Amino acid sequence: MTTETIYRSCPTCEASCGLVMEVDTEAKQVISIKGDPDNHRSKGYVCAKSQAFRYIYEDPERLTKPVKKVDGQWQEIGWEEALSETAERLAAIREQYGKDSIAMYYGNPNGHNFSTQIYTQMFITLLNTERFFSAGSVDQQPRNLSCELLYGNGWVFPIPDIDHTDFFVCMGGNPMVSQGSLMSAPDIGSRLKAIQQRGGKIAVIDPRRTETADVADQHIFIRPGTDAFLLMAFVNELFATHQVKPGRLLDFTDGIEKLEPLSAPFSPSAVAAITGVPAQRLRQLVKEFCAASAPVLYGRIGLCTQQFGTLASWLVDVINILTGRLDAKGGAMFPRPATAHNDPAAAPPELGYNRWQSKARGFPEYMSMLPASLMAEEMELQGEHQVRALITVAGNPVLSVPNGKRIHAAMEKLDFVVAFDFYINETTSGADIIIPSTTQLEHSNYDFMFTSTCVRNFAQYSPKTFEPPEGALDQWQIINEVTARMHGMTRADLEAMMLDGMIAQLQANAPELAHLSVEDIKQKTAGHDGPERLLDIMLRAGPYGDKFCGNGLTLAQLKQEPHGIDLGPLEPRFPELLATKFKRIDIAPDIITGDLPRLRAALKKGPGDRMLLIGRRHIRDMNSWLHNLNNYARGKNRCTLLINPQDAQRIGLTDGGMARIRSRVGEFAAEVAISDGIMPGVVSLPHGFGHTYRNTQQSVASTLTPGISANDLVDDNEMDVPSGTSVVNGVPVEITAA
Ligand SMILES: Nc1nc2c(c(=O)[nH]1)N[C@H]1C(S)=C(S)[C@@H](COP(=O)(O)OP(=O)(O)OC[C@H]3O[C@@H](n4cnc5c(=O)[nH]c(N)nc54)[C@H](O)[C@@H]3O)O[C@H]1N2
Ligand SMILES: Nc1nc2c(c(=O)[nH]1)N[C@H]1C(S)=C(S)[C@@H](COP(=O)(O)OP(=O)(O)OC[C@H]3O[C@@H](n4cnc5c(=O)[nH]c(N)nc54)[C@H](O)[C@@H]3O)O[C@H]1N2
Ligand code: SF4
Ligand SMILES: [Mo]
């Protein structure tokens, strides 16, 4: 046995905790995975999912070779056949029916894979389809839109400086379970406790008394989908009590004066009925927020994936700006990634919004994407604008996107579906060819995305642990093979083109690199290949980098730091970081305020009397894709319908009994769990279940934890208007005894 100790970061959630693994390199087996006590960010902390990438690697049902459906049966095929047939069929469809006849869906795990993120850009650019969908529109897209409009870059997110705040107001997020989102913070529990230990307070605003609410100082129930009303009332109260104090932000912020009249109809008393939050309670919260010395308001997915997602997400930033808490210590701050990927470009790009519209109902594009909720509708179109092919890249839209069963049915009518995925699951079982990638243990990684969402700046490299089996390819290699073949290039030519392109782009944005030729940079980074070479270039050109000469960070140096490098606390970055035209913030952009008439109309209409469905996450789940792992699937049924005792009694439900849930798009039965931790009038069901489709290869998921898919109840017609984000929280339902 050849044992080795490997340090890396955990690739399963944003927290990216430091791990130490004992492995047998000869047998290619993991012996143990533990928290790395010497990792400065996580200090030995891990959660139950720290073993996930090992179990995935060991899962005998995971695909390691491409498969093709022949007469309804899956057959293993060679890599060459899989790649060439995929490229040929896609190219032929494109040739015959045009570029928009190919749809694509890009899933969440890509965000945890550096090389895929970097190289897929070229695939998407060359595919150039107007039918591009992603998990982003069932997630953070309202944040992208509001950050792009305010700060000039949809990927510059304000992150709560949780280690320095003294009043943390958490809305629509449950970091104790999700481990923090757009707030990468290992061991969030200790960090929250530390707020209280230094005399600070935590408030949670959520329709459920969550695990985070349980450790908070106060919890306020709010009716799902009504945060925009509450936050407008917050703004209204700030003006009414003369607490608008943006401080230094005023030097580069425009439009503050527009907010007072805009917030006028939304006084705390006017919104109390619709939000369920008494006016006095809200006034008290505003008072405490303003009295704290370093307060911060944080909003996450519960604020994004709801009827007023953009307004609610935007208002979080508006309030942090009005109170001077944006870009301030203990407030909402901006990380400085070592790869400089959130730095402003020399020439600010134009906003990509409404450049084209969906074919079925004319919904505007954003960031070159159409809302995932429109996937089925687009794929069902017949005639001139018919979709002929679908590509999925590490995504499971049949379970993750509203009205997933409609997507499943629409897929059956397509000429060709290819899934880049390593499971035969609810979505990929509808493919003609599935091409699996290597797993996280078989390629190196860098926490690219999460160095721009972290609560403290860091850099960590994760080495490849095991050589993949003969012929197996990483996701980026598969993507590049298919891209090159589709466009009559070799993979080497394509990758050379990308290398040159990246160097040219970096030089355009960094005058201090202008004295170097492209050849110089290539020569200095020749020691690395493929994605690692691109990473080396970005690190060296970045803010901590050696600029290709002298001292500073390089990939070689990072590889010598197994516990990662601490790049210090978040520091103020405005106005330099602003990528807007004049480095100014327009706090009230038209695209967003244009949605206020809809908010006013809803206020006038008042609260309806329907029960509202929301989601929830459990510590041992990760969306839909860890359910085939015995250790995470076993145990008590988690796919239960949470309901308040008052409602349960009225409807005649018993704990552990069954309820029927009916929405506009579906009707299902689920086990009831009665709890006073959920607001009256609200029920909750987790997503990512519903492992009930035939022809999948996930025997553990389908037997141990089939559950029902919450998204078969979520209405695909309902979207946040400015961003097109799905409304998965606040879905009107009827509940009856089964
Ligand atoms: N109702 C409701 N719906 C939701 C949400 C909600 O809160 N409520 N949350 C939404 C959110 S935030 C998200 S991010 C989306 C997620 O939506 P998706 O990304 O569509 O779904 P996942 O369940 O993450 O599926 C991941 C897929 O990637 C595959 N995969 C994982 N790792 C790899 C890899 O290394 N290589 C390859 N080739 N494949 C891999 C898995 O097998 C699986 O098929 O769901 C959204 N849907
Ligand atoms: N264990 C686990 N961890 C995960 C994931 C997972 O599936 N499982 N998924 C990962 C992914 S992809 C993401 S994007 C993140 C998400 O991370 P979080 O945003 O922290 O996700 P949730 O736990 O779904 O928390 C959303 C909260 O919003 C509340 N909510 C619902 N509707 C409303 C509303 O209208 N108003 C308000 N104020 N609150 C509302 C819900 O009750 C819930 O408590 O988690 C990541 N981490
Ligand atoms: S919290 Fe996230 S990153 Fe940390 S061990 Fe758990 S799954 Fe991995
Ligand atoms: Mo997500």
Side-chain angles (χ1 to χ4, degrees):
M1 187 157 100
T2 331
T3 59
E4 214 180 294
T5 304
I6 305 239
Y7 295 92
R8 62 164 298 144
S9 71
C10 174
T12 302
C13 88
E14 263 190 40
S16 313
C17 301
L19 304 177
V20 50
M21 306 194 293
E22 294 301 321
V23 300
D24 179 342
T25 45
E26 220 169 79
K28 295 193 191 174
Q29 279 176 357
V30 177
I31 299 161
S32 69
I33 301 179
K34 296 189 177 127
D36 173 9
D38 298 320
N39 183 288
H40 64 96
R41 301 175 61 242
S42 52
K43 302 186 175 76
Y45 172 84
V46 283
C47 84
K49 285 190 302 302
S50 58
Q51 313 297 311
F53 67 115
R54 166 193 183 167
Y55 297 152
I56 290 278
Y57 173 73
E58 293 169 352
D59 187 350
E61 289 188 320
R62 175 175 59 83
L63 296 178
T64 54
K65 297 206 173 86
V67 290
K68 178 177 172 177
K69 207 184 270 158
V70 181
D71 299 330
Q73 298 295 317
W74 289 109
Q75 279 179 12
E76 264 184 20
I77 55 171
W79 288 90
E80 181 50 41
E81 184 184 347
L83 296 167
S84 55
E85 184 169 339
T86 299
E88 277 162 26
R89 296 217 42 193
L90 291 173
I93 288 171
R94 191 186 151 105
E95 176 67 30
Q96 190 175 353
Y97 302 107
K99 66 184 182 64
D100 303 326
S101 66
I102 303 178
M104 170 162 165
Y105 176 86
Y106 190 70
N108 168 275
N110 295 304
H112 297 263
N113 187 332
F114 168 73
S115 44
T116 310
Q117 277 170 87
I118 293 297
Y119 283 109
T120 313
Q121 293 311 320
M122 185 58 92
F123 182 60
I124 296 167
T125 305
L126 292 178
L127 203 60
N128 192 24
T129 174
E130 293 187 359
R131 258 77 169 256
F132 178 38
F133 306 92
S134 90
S137 52
V138 201
D139 190 343
Q140 82 295 332
Q141 208 133 285
R143 274 289 332 94
N144 294 126
L145 181 59
S146 123
C147 291
E148 182 159 8
L149 294 170
L150 266 58
Y151 318 129
N153 181 339
W155 297 98
V156 161
F157 300 116
I159 308 300
D161 183 15
I162 188 128
D163 294 341
H164 302 106
T165 183
D166 70 345
F167 191 45
F168 178 55
V169 182
C170 175
M171 299 180 75
N174 184 15
M176 286 299 284
V177 169
S178 68
Q179 305 285 323
S181 182
L182 301 187
M183 174 172 67
S184 309
D187 196 7
I188 190 85
S190 297
R191 291 171 197 262
L192 292 178
K193 204 177 282 163
I195 297 176
Q196 293 162 325
Q197 280 164 352
R198 53 179 188 263
K201 295 254 185 306
I202 301 165
V204 169
I205 306 176
D206 200 295
R208 183 166 80 83
R209 194 173 64 234
T210 59
E211 294 75 1
T212 307
D214 283 341
V215 302
D217 300 275
Q218 44 173 309
H219 168 236
I220 302 175
F221 275 136
I222 183 165
R223 278 187 70 247
T226 65
D227 301 83
F229 301 98
L230 185 90
L231 294 172
M232 275 307 248
F234 198 124
V235 171
N236 177 297
E237 181 70 5
L238 286 175
F239 280 105
T241 55
H242 311 289
Q243 298 280 7
V244 174
K245 293 173 184 166
R248 62 181 267 275
L249 301 172
L250 201 54
D251 296 344
F252 44 86
T253 304
D254 301 314
I256 289 180
E257 71 291 345
K258 293 184 194 160
L259 295 168
E260 189 167 13
L262 286 175
S263 67
F266 303 94
S267 67
S269 340
V271 305
I274 201 158
T275 60
V277 179
Q280 201 38 43
R281 189 88 201 250
L282 175 60
R283 289 203 180 96
Q284 182 63 26
L285 180 81
V286 176
K287 203 167 152 191
E288 282 177 57
F289 192 87
C290 295
S293 61
V296 64
L297 181 59
Y298 164 73
R300 197 42 280 266
I301 200 166
L303 259 58
C304 290
T305 48
Q306 55 145 295
Q307 56 175 344
F308 295 108
T310 300
L311 283 174
S313 293
W314 164 70
L315 282 161
V316 168
D317 287 25
V318 165
I319 289 167
N320 283 326
I321 294 173
L322 293 183
T323 52
R325 300 308 303 149
L326 192 83
D327 200 39
K329 190 172 175 185
M333 302 195 76
F334 298 89
R336 187 187 293 274
T339 46
H341 60 269
N342 70 3
D343 278 3
E350 289 294 316
L351 174 73
Y353 189 84
N354 202 8
R355 290 164 297 175
W356 62 85
Q357 298 77 32
S358 71
K359 296 287 188 282
R361 71 167 77 179
F363 202 93
E365 149 278 342
Y366 173 50
M367 293 200 300
S368 303
M369 286 184 270
L370 291 175
S373 276
L374 300 182
M375 258 178 101
E377 178 178 293
E378 288 292 296
M379 291 196 295
E380 285 166 1
L381 270 188
Q382 296 291 309
E384 191 195 350
H385 297 301
Q386 199 164 329
V387 173
R388 305 282 174 165
L390 172 69
I391 305 166
T392 67
V393 186
N396 191 4
V398 170
L399 295 192
S400 297
V401 171
N403 209 352
K405 63 180 184 318
R406 185 174 168 194
I407 295 176
H408 189 267
M411 281 173 66
E412 284 174 5
K413 302 203 182 88
L414 303 180
D415 296 350
F416 181 65
V417 178
V418 58
F420 298 114
D421 206 293
F422 49 39
Y423 274 111
I424 306 182
N425 63 21
E426 299 72 19
T427 299
T428 63
S429 57
D432 297 287
I433 292 183
I434 309 177
I435 308 183
S437 71
T438 53
T439 70
Q440 291 279 354
L441 281 162
E442 299 160 312
H443 58 77
S444 66
N445 200 21
Y446 178 76
D447 311 297
F448 184 68
M449 176 72 200
F450 311 121
T451 58
S452 49
T453 56
C454 51
V455 299
R456 189 177 170 95
N457 293 310
F458 79 106
Q460 180 157 16
Y461 172 80
S462 298
K464 177 201 275 191
T465 309
F466 301 134
E467 273 311 313
E470 178 80 28
L473 296 173
D474 295 339
Q475 187 69 78
W476 68 274
Q477 294 169 316
I478 295 169
I479 295 278
N480 285 1
E481 285 286 352
V482 172
T483 315
R485 284 160 204 247
M486 273 185 80
H487 298 92
M489 280 185 263
T490 66
R491 208 180 105 198
D493 287 346
L494 178 78
E495 286 164 17
M497 190 171 98
M498 292 189 64
L499 178 64
D500 287 351
M502 171 181 277
I503 296 174
Q505 197 187 345
L506 281 178
Q507 287 193 309
N509 291 332
E512 72 271 25
L513 301 178
H515 68 284
L516 292 166
S517 70
V518 172
E519 279 315 311
D520 285 338
I521 294 181
K522 279 187 178 167
Q523 203 195 347
K524 284 169 193 281
T525 55
H528 302 284
D529 281 339
E532 294 210 354
R533 190 171 188 184
L534 302 184
L535 177 60
D536 189 38
I537 294 173
M538 284 192 270
L539 290 172
R540 296 173 74 173
Y544 318 92
D546 73 348
K547 310 287 188 268
F548 306 98
C549 45
N551 287 329
L553 191 61
T554 65
L555 179 58
Q557 198 190 63
L558 186 63
K559 287 185 178 184
Q560 301 303 311
E561 302 281 350
H563 312 294
I565 301 181
D566 181 5
L567 296 170
L570 306 186
E571 303 277 358
R573 296 198 65 193
F574 275 6
E576 290 74 21
L577 180 64
L578 288 172
T580 47
K581 265 201 188 110
F582 302 105
K583 289 215 176 289
R584 298 186 68 81
I585 302 172
D586 172 9
I587 198 174
D590 294 343
I591 291 180
I592 297 180
T593 53
D595 201 27
L596 284 170
R598 193 168 66 99
L599 192 73
R600 287 195 292 269
L603 181 66
K604 216 171 251 164
K605 211 162 138 213
D609 53 6
R610 305 280 301 273
M611 299 280 291
L612 297 175
L613 174 71
I614 62 167
R616 70 179 185 276
R617 287 175 155 78
H618 288 269
I619 194 79
R620 289 187 297 148
D621 300 322
M622 179 49 73
N623 300 316
S624 75
W625 68 281
L626 300 185
H627 290 152
N628 207 47
L629 309 175
N630 192 59
N631 284 317
Y632 299 141
R634 67 178 183 210
K636 249 177 80 185
N637 177 21
R638 305 196 281 274
C639 189
T640 55
L641 186 78
L642 273 190
I643 188 164
N644 185 279
Q646 288 175 27
D647 291 319
Q649 201 189 14
R650 176 174 49 80
I651 300 165
L653 301 176
T654 51
D655 195 54
M658 297 298 282
R660 284 205 81 72
I661 317 159
R662 187 149 53 100
S663 75
R664 189 189 73 84
V665 299
E667 180 168 352
F668 291 90
E671 185 185 327
V672 173
I674 297 179
S675 161
D676 66 358
I678 186 132
M679 190 176 185
V682 181
V683 287
S684 161
L685 192 67
H687 73 286
F689 292 88
H691 306 292
T692 52
Y693 286 83
R694 283 182 301 132
N695 303 326
T696 59
Q697 184 175 300
Q698 293 199 307
S699 60
V700 177
S702 57
T703 51
L704 278 191
T705 185
I708 57 167
S709 176
N711 280 315
D712 285 341
L713 290 159
V714 177
D715 193 338
D716 49 339
N717 263 340
E718 297 297 320
M719 286 173 290
D720 168 47
V721 172
S723 71
T725 304
S726 308
V727 179
V728 307
N729 287 296
V731 179
V733 287
E734 271 136 56
I735 311 288
T736 50

